[in-house]
Amino acid sequence: MKKSGAEIFVESLRHEGVKTVFGLPGGVVLKIFDVLCQQKDIELVLTRHEQAAAHMAEGYAKATGKAGVVLVTSGPGMTNIVTGLADAYMDSVPLVAFTGQVSTNLIGNDAFQEADNVGISRPCTKHNVLVKNVADLAQTIKEAFYIATSGRPGPVLVDIPKDVSTDKAEFKYPDRVYLRGYNPTVTGNKHQIRQAAEAIMKAKKPVIYVGGGAIFANAADEVRELAEITQIPVTMTLMGLGSFPGTHPLSLGMLGMHGGYWTNMAMHHADLLIAVGARFDDRVTGKLSEFCPEARVVHIDIDPTSIKKTVHAHIPIVGDVKAVLHQLNVMLRSMDGNPAEVKSQRAAWLKQVEQWRNEHPLTYRQDDRVTKPQFVIEKLYQLTRHEAIVATDVGQHQMWAAQYFKGSKPRTWLTSGGLGTMGFGFPAAIGAQKAYPEKLVLCITSEGSFQMNLQELATVAEHKLPVKVALLNNGFHGMVRQWQDLFYEGRYSASYLGKIPDFVKLAEAYGILGLRAVKPDEVEPVIKEALKHKGPVLMDIHTDPYENCYPMIPAGGAHHEMMLEDPPELVNARKGGAHKRKVDEGEGVLPA
């Protein structure tokens, strides 16, 4: 019996085990939405904006490890998900996006809501395809899920013209996929792994540097085993947080632009760097010519194009991170030496790292008048008992959350790393909450980021999703204001937000609980009330508008060139409250 393209679409998703689709309808996908509403196996989450649908699918994918699925219409429906596609592409998130297209006989005629979906998405997808014949639809969907979730994960776009969704064909879903020219390497080369093991045994000042690839490969256990049997400290990229427990004695926390002093100093003085599923992005390396100047580099990655892309790898190993680390750990355990000898061998190096940590720990000064954002993050960490899935937006609050909310498990830290997308956090939290309705999901955001997708308050209200939103409200695009203070003589061009909505009333307008904390002693009671409430909550927490995030490596600086506090010239410029008067009077301020 033949099925329509829309029926084939739904049957194919069933075969892939899809339970949730995030999307918004439109003219050319109405047949698909019509079939979706007549079945019960797959739930559609209707979003209020297509960009949010893409970020919800990202949050779902990051929290579960499965492909997130988006369904939108043609033209503006597709162009609105481009930011989500680019974000997923940069952060290697498995995503399958289905876009509607005008009928095949109208393509190229500037038809209503027509856009070149394949052309537009080509630079920001791992693969994309226009389906021209309904007979090819099932095979195309099978390939889309395989490509999105295998090798280095990434977004795949499938463009479905209106007539393909209504035409009919026999439904036969393939059992497997064979794609000539696409065969990701899983097992690492034994000779290179032997070289890596020997280098590890000889090294006196090694560091393990872990990226998001370790999380997508489900390699957290192997990373921990490697660190513990070799007694090597572990640092993580922003995307790698959670791959190694943040409270573990060997954890160095995050490295790079806002990494710890001790972490970046360890990187600068390391004699061996073991990079695991990381891509050496510029926020991590800083000044490339002075990056890890004394270190030999072992680079393990499933994507061969990432190896030696920016930093030379002395021992490159292409393969699945989990498989390669397993091979490496087996080899290390078979080599000479016992745990006591290894611990003794690393003692001096670990002592040096600890000395750097004690010299310049993360710090801030909290008084009883103005709430410091770091104080809020620490309270959230304490009162959630470290068990929440945390989604963040982008900016200062993201860096403070990375510093102070020490994740202990993979897939509990959802953030936008490569693209740095403001507006990501709230919908990503919704996607994670949809995947795990019984778990505590916390969104840490700011008033600037939150306003980019606040319309999804309607989605959490409609689906009764108990997401807890902690909005750190400082009245500025804070990271922009920090850079203007440090590098643009305090001219606040378009960073001061001026008119900001009453977020408590806004929450109430959507029928959810809104809470506000203006003073430091109000923070803890507000968080406790939010956590106790069974539904969604928006917490408007007012924080110091002029707090800066440190440590900081200025753009173009090296790991050993960190700023640890406000420089004297900034401190002097702020004496007497001149910076506050400037904002009040609008001097040098171009409102955003």
Side-chain angles (χ1 to χ4, degrees):
M1 180 181 173
K2 291 185 176 181
K3 293 180 181 290
S4 70
E7 291 169 326
I8 290 172
F9 171 85
V10 172
E11 279 299 315
S12 299
L13 294 196
R14 281 200 186 104
H15 277 70
E16 290 297 328
V18 174
K19 299 294 182 187
T20 308
V21 173
F22 302 93
L24 203 156
V28 297
V29 287
L30 285 182
K31 179 64 177 176
I32 295 176
F33 275 81
D34 186 55
V35 174
L36 273 172
C37 84
Q38 297 179 54
Q39 55 80 52
K40 296 181 178 178
D41 296 336
I42 300 168
E43 183 182 9
L44 174 77
V45 176
L46 170 64
T47 66
R48 269 48 177 179
H49 195 289
E50 290 92 347
Q51 182 188 349
H55 294 322
M56 287 180 201
E58 282 192 275
Y60 184 96
K62 288 186 176 187
T64 63
K66 302 174 183 175
V69 179
V70 189
L71 173 61
V72 296
T73 191
S74 59
M78 182 277 164
T79 57
N80 281 340
I81 67 167
V82 168
T83 299
L85 294 174
D87 193 272
Y89 188 64
M90 290 285 277
D91 286 348
S92 307
V93 182
L95 202 72
V96 180
F98 295 97
T99 53
Q101 183 57 273
V102 300
S103 293
T104 50
N105 65 322
L106 293 176
I107 292 176
N109 286 341
D110 293 335
F112 177 66
Q113 291 192 331
E114 181 189 1
D116 179 4
N117 296 348
V118 169
I120 290 169
S121 62
R122 184 167 292 121
C124 57
T125 52
K126 184 178 177 183
H127 178 66
N128 63 10
V129 60
L130 168 67
V131 184
K132 297 177 182 175
N133 189 323
V134 66
D136 299 330
L137 184 57
Q139 176 74 30
T140 303
I141 292 174
K142 179 71 178 179
E143 291 174 358
F145 277 90
Y146 173 67
I147 293 170
T149 55
S150 60
R152 179 178 176 176
V156 174
L157 182 139
V158 179
D159 200 24
I160 305 176
K162 182 179 179 180
D163 54 326
V164 171
S165 70
T166 55
D167 287 349
K168 293 190 174 182
E170 294 290 341
F171 175 70
K172 185 179 180 183
Y173 205 65
D175 295 327
R176 53 186 301 183
V177 171
Y178 170 74
L179 295 170
R180 187 178 179 183
Y182 180 73
N183 296 295
T185 301
V186 175
T187 305
N189 180 285
K190 290 180 181 176
H191 174 67
Q192 287 163 302
I193 293 175
R194 166 70 62 179
Q195 283 189 322
E198 290 172 352
I200 288 170
M201 295 304 287
K202 291 177 185 174
K204 294 181 178 177
K205 299 181 292 181
V207 172
I208 300 171
Y209 150 54
V210 187
I215 291 177
F216 280 115
N218 294 315
D221 290 343
E222 287 74 14
V223 170
R224 182 168 184 156
E225 183 182 357
L226 174 62
E228 291 182 343
I229 63 176
T230 58
Q231 288 296 295
I232 298 177
V234 179
T235 182
M236 291 158 279
T237 68
L238 184 65
M239 301 308 301
L241 292 174
S243 60
F244 189 73
T247 54
H248 193 288
L250 290 170
S251 174
L252 300 177
M254 185 177 69
L255 79 163
M257 181 171 280
H258 290 287
Y261 171 82
W262 61 93
T263 314
N264 289 333
M265 291 300 284
M267 291 290 288
H268 188 70
H269 291 280
D271 65 355
L272 179 70
L273 186 64
I274 305 151
V276 179
R279 62 184 178 88
F280 296 88
D281 80 283
D282 58 302
R283 287 289 176 107
V284 162
T285 62
K287 190 176 183 180
L288 264 179
S289 61
E290 295 186 30
F291 175 71
C292 295
E294 302 172 15
R296 287 172 58 77
V297 174
V298 177
H299 192 177
I300 305 168
D301 204 293
I302 197 164
D303 180 5
T305 66
S306 286
I307 294 179
K308 297 184 181 180
K309 186 176 181 181
T310 55
V311 171
H312 178 72
H314 301 85
I315 306 174
I317 304 174
V318 177
D320 174 76
V321 164
K322 185 180 181 73
V324 171
L325 288 184
H326 174 73
Q327 293 173 269
L328 179 60
N329 289 336
V330 169
M331 200 170 286
L332 283 165
R333 287 189 184 281
S334 70
M335 298 176 84
D336 291 340
N338 57 52
E341 287 176 337
V342 172
K343 199 165 187 175
S344 172
Q345 182 183 344
R346 305 284 187 236
W349 175 230
L350 294 176
K351 184 179 179 182
Q352 173 62 74
V353 172
E354 200 56 28
Q355 184 178 330
W356 284 323
R357 191 195 301 266
N358 293 333
E359 285 174 0
H360 297 290
L362 295 176
T363 185
Y364 62 95
R365 300 183 183 91
Q366 178 61 62
D367 59 29
D368 58 359
R369 294 175 295 107
V370 181
T371 304
K372 296 294 183 181
Q374 303 94 321
F375 173 74
V376 179
I377 304 291
E378 287 202 306
K379 281 296 175 190
L380 289 167
Y381 180 64
Q382 172 193 340
L383 296 172
T384 58
R385 300 175 184 174
H386 326 158
E387 288 296 327
I389 295 175
V390 177
T392 81
D393 263 302
V394 171
Q396 285 181 312
H397 69 274
Q398 179 191 32
M399 295 297 108
W400 282 314
Q403 291 174 339
Y404 288 92
F405 206 106
K406 298 175 183 176
S408 59
K409 299 174 185 173
R411 304 195 184 286
T412 59
W413 171 255
L414 320 176
T415 197
S416 171
L419 197 64
T421 306
M422 293 174 68
F424 167 89
F426 184 39
I430 296 172
Q433 189 77 82
K434 198 64 196 168
Y436 297 109
E438 303 304 322
K439 291 189 177 181
L440 173 61
V441 177
L442 177 66
C443 171
I444 301 176
T445 184
S446 66
E447 77 294 327
S449 287
F450 186 70
Q451 289 187 83
M452 292 190 176
N453 266 317
L454 64 79
Q455 76 283 346
E456 302 307 325
L457 285 168
T459 305
V460 294
E462 182 70 32
H463 289 266
K464 298 181 174 57
L465 295 170
V467 176
K468 314 302 182 194
V469 180
L471 188 156
L472 277 58
N473 185 349
N474 62 10
F476 278 97
H477 288 310
M479 191 61 87
V480 176
R481 195 271 308 144
Q482 176 169 336
W483 279 56
Q484 288 170 336
D485 262 334
L486 294 173
F487 311 118
Y488 294 89
E489 300 175 352
R491 290 183 294 276
Y492 298 147
S493 178
S495 58
Y496 177 59
L497 287 166
K499 297 293 183 185
I500 293 176
D502 183 324
F503 289 108
V504 172
K505 288 183 178 176
L506 184 70
E508 291 170 352
Y510 281 98
I512 73 173
L513 178 63
L515 300 169
R516 179 174 292 120
V518 177
K519 300 176 183 176
D521 62 1
E522 295 171 345
V523 172
E524 183 166 328
V526 159
I527 296 174
K528 283 183 175 177
E529 185 177 351
L531 296 177
K532 191 177 176 183
H533 184 67
K534 294 189 182 301
V537 183
L538 175 57
M539 294 173 272
D540 177 20
I541 303 174
H542 292 204
T543 59
D544 187 346
Y546 302 100
E547 183 72 4
N548 287 335
C549 185
Y550 296 110
M552 177 182 181
I553 301 174
H559 278 165
H560 62 105
E561 297 172 330
M562 285 169 277
M563 300 172 67
L564 303 176
E565 58 186 5
D566 287 337
E569 55 271 26
L570 179 58
V571 174
N572 289 333
R574 287 178 170 180
K575 280 182 179 174
H579 57 304
K580 296 177 184 175
R581 284 197 300 276
K582 213 166 53 169
V583 171
D584 292 341
E585 297 168 5
E587 179 190 343
V589 174
L590 179 61

